[in-house]
Amino acid sequence: MTSKLIPISTQTAIPQSTSVVIIGGGIVGVSAALSLAEKNIPVVLLEKGQIAAEQSSRNLGWIRKTSRHANDVPLAQAADRIWAKMAERVGADVGYRQSGIMFLAKTDEQMSIHESWLSSVSDLNLGSQLLNPKEIDRHVPGGRGMWKGGVYTPSDGRAEPAIATSALAKAAMNAGAILIQNCAVRDLSRSAGKVSGVITEQGEIECDQVLLAGGAWSRRFLGNMGVSLPTLPVVASVLRTKPMEGPTEIAVGGPDFSFRKHKDGGFIIMQRGKVDAPITLDHLKIGLQFKDQLRFGKDALNISLGTPFFKDLIMPRRWSANKPTPFEAERVKNPAINHQLLQDALQNTHQAWPQFEQAKIEESWAGLIDVTPDSTPVIDRVKAIPGLTVATGFSGHGFGTGPAAGQLAADIVLNDTLLVNPDPYRFDRF
């Protein structure tokens, strides 16, 4: 994980009971805990490892509406409003800057994708605009890429994953939430056909409602109860440079690179055109549900069969609540970094903007992303298990919408007025 992740201290002993239990200490679960605590709802969040130690601290930090599915944009717009007031809300800087995001096109085909997206959101007043090469150079000077054009949304922004979720977690505890790290949930207790508690490695906590926000672990947790959530893993490798002069404060995504300014003066960079897709048993079980993604995005996937397959194969998919689970065997998932992809990303970046020829890598990391068949999350009640709600499957863009997604999930748990229309996030759409 990034060395910049700010660790937090939480209590260690579980309470006997509460109103809501949240499983998972990423940005979505922590945001839900904060939303509930601010409404004086007793809530306990349980994290099997360390708060924000997986994808919530390993992502790029982009807060974007650009290139999201049109039906997912209202949640991103709600997130913009929440991020804008986040520092005041939590009493700490989370690195939020509304500095804009730009995507570039090198070919007519790539440009047509941006044009189609802009047309699909034309009624949402995003302020997004198509750019020609001269306009790109004006916004991000000093480049030498031969661009067909791009799309730019000035109201998009960024925050710092290594500090944001930790700041939200501290605020949640200050508001009355109980957070406990290194405590895995093994199973749910049920009475009269609905959830009545959670069984943890420390014992049972009685509760009325459970929110599962376990990221890439959610499919395995639900599978133990006979519920199938279609998600598959991909791995993204990321680097941070040492402090350096750069061309812009705007986050820029090219076909085979991306960069954005880090608060400490360096840049966060990745090979935007490639992610690793290590084959697991789930690819064989549910891969056909992803055939459309594979058809249109296969060039972006480094598909491989190796150690991850065999590790996944021996990891239990069924267990009893009185014995250790996979969540205790692997507290924090640390996928292998693809250093070749990072070297390619750095080379592609400085080919496009010569300023990056001076870039020196300060650190690198990799994160596991849980992807759904339509790249849109699930935020919904699980009808098969009354009292259980899930918020997971964010497909690599959960950090930006995380605070709004957590609030929406809390609204669903409480049967309260909903932040946005939840229909795009229905579980039963699969």
Side-chain angles (χ1 to χ4, degrees), residues 10-158:
T10 61
Q11 76 176 58
T12 56
I14 64 171
Q16 181 178 349
S17 64
T18 188
S19 180
V20 180
V21 168
I22 298 173
I23 304 172
I27 191 167
V28 176
V30 168
S31 295
L34 176 57
S35 295
L36 291 167
E38 288 174 335
K39 294 182 178 182
N40 297 314
I41 304 297
V43 57
V44 175
L45 181 147
L46 301 168
E47 164 55 46
K48 63 180 175 53
Q50 179 183 345
I51 297 292
E54 295 187 322
Q55 191 57 19
S56 288
S57 63
R58 301 175 188 234
N59 62 85
L60 302 179
W62 292 28
I63 299 171
R64 67 174 174 86
K65 301 172 290 296
T66 311
S67 290
R68 286 189 183 271
H69 295 314
N71 62 5
D72 192 33
V73 169
L75 188 68
Q77 291 176 302
D80 279 351
R81 296 188 291 271
I82 296 172
W83 277 113
K85 298 179 179 179
M86 188 66 77
E88 178 183 358
R89 182 184 185 189
V90 303
D93 178 25
V94 295
Y96 176 70
R97 304 289 185 272
Q98 196 175 51
S99 49
I101 290 178
M102 179 188 301
F103 287 113
L104 304 175
K106 186 164 281 188
T107 66
D108 289 332
E109 182 181 7
Q110 292 168 358
M111 195 63 198
S112 70
I113 293 173
H114 298 320
E115 292 168 350
S116 296
W117 173 78
L118 191 58
S119 176
S120 74
V121 297
S122 60
D123 60 337
L124 295 177
N125 300 314
L126 301 185
S128 303
Q129 54 197 268
L130 296 177
L131 303 179
N132 61 39
K134 289 184 178 180
E135 291 167 327
I136 292 171
D137 190 60
R138 186 169 70 248
H139 286 294
V140 193
R144 59 187 178 195
M146 301 296 290
W147 307 113
K148 287 287 184 179
V151 61
Y152 172 48
T153 306
S155 61
D156 283 347
R158 67 177 193 262

Side-chain angles (χ1 to χ4, degrees), residues 167-203:
L168 268 70
K170 292 177 182 177
M173 290 188 289
N174 289 338
I178 296 174
L179 275 60
I180 302 173
Q181 300 177 104
N182 295 304
C183 183
V185 176
R186 294 177 171 177
D187 205 349
L188 304 181
S189 299
R190 283 176 265 188
S191 300
K194 71 177 297 292
V195 169
S196 59
V198 297
I199 302 170
T200 80
E201 60 183 288
Q202 292 188 33

Side-chain angles (χ1 to χ4, degrees), residues 350-392:
H350 72 61
Q351 282 180 347
W353 270 274
Q355 294 99 315
F356 286 97
E357 290 177 355
Q358 63 178 300
K360 304 295 182 184
I361 298 176
E362 179 76 20
E363 64 168 345
S364 57
W365 62 85
L368 190 72
I369 299 169
D370 53 326
V371 180
T372 65
D374 58 6
S375 297
T376 300
V378 175
I379 311 172
D380 196 8
R381 296 183 183 274
V382 180
K383 293 178 182 177
I385 306 177
L388 175 63
T389 300
V390 296
T392 196

Side-chain angles (χ1 to χ4, degrees), residues 182-250:
N182 295 304
C183 183
V185 176
R186 294 177 171 177
D187 205 349
L188 304 181
S189 299
R190 283 176 265 188
S191 300
K194 71 177 297 292
V195 169
S196 59
V198 297
I199 302 170
T200 80
E201 60 183 288
Q202 292 188 33
E204 185 170 355
I205 304 174
E206 298 175 359
C207 65
D208 302 315
Q209 298 280 335
V210 172
L211 170 62
L212 174 62
W217 295 96
S218 297
R219 171 171 166 78
R220 195 170 296 264
F221 184 86
L222 289 170
N224 186 52
M225 297 180 291
V227 176
S228 179
L229 170 72
T231 60
L232 290 177
V234 298
V235 177
S237 295
V238 186
L239 69 86
R240 178 173 60 85
T241 74
K242 295 179 182 294
M244 57 170 283
E245 292 297 320
T248 183
E249 291 287 320
I250 298 169

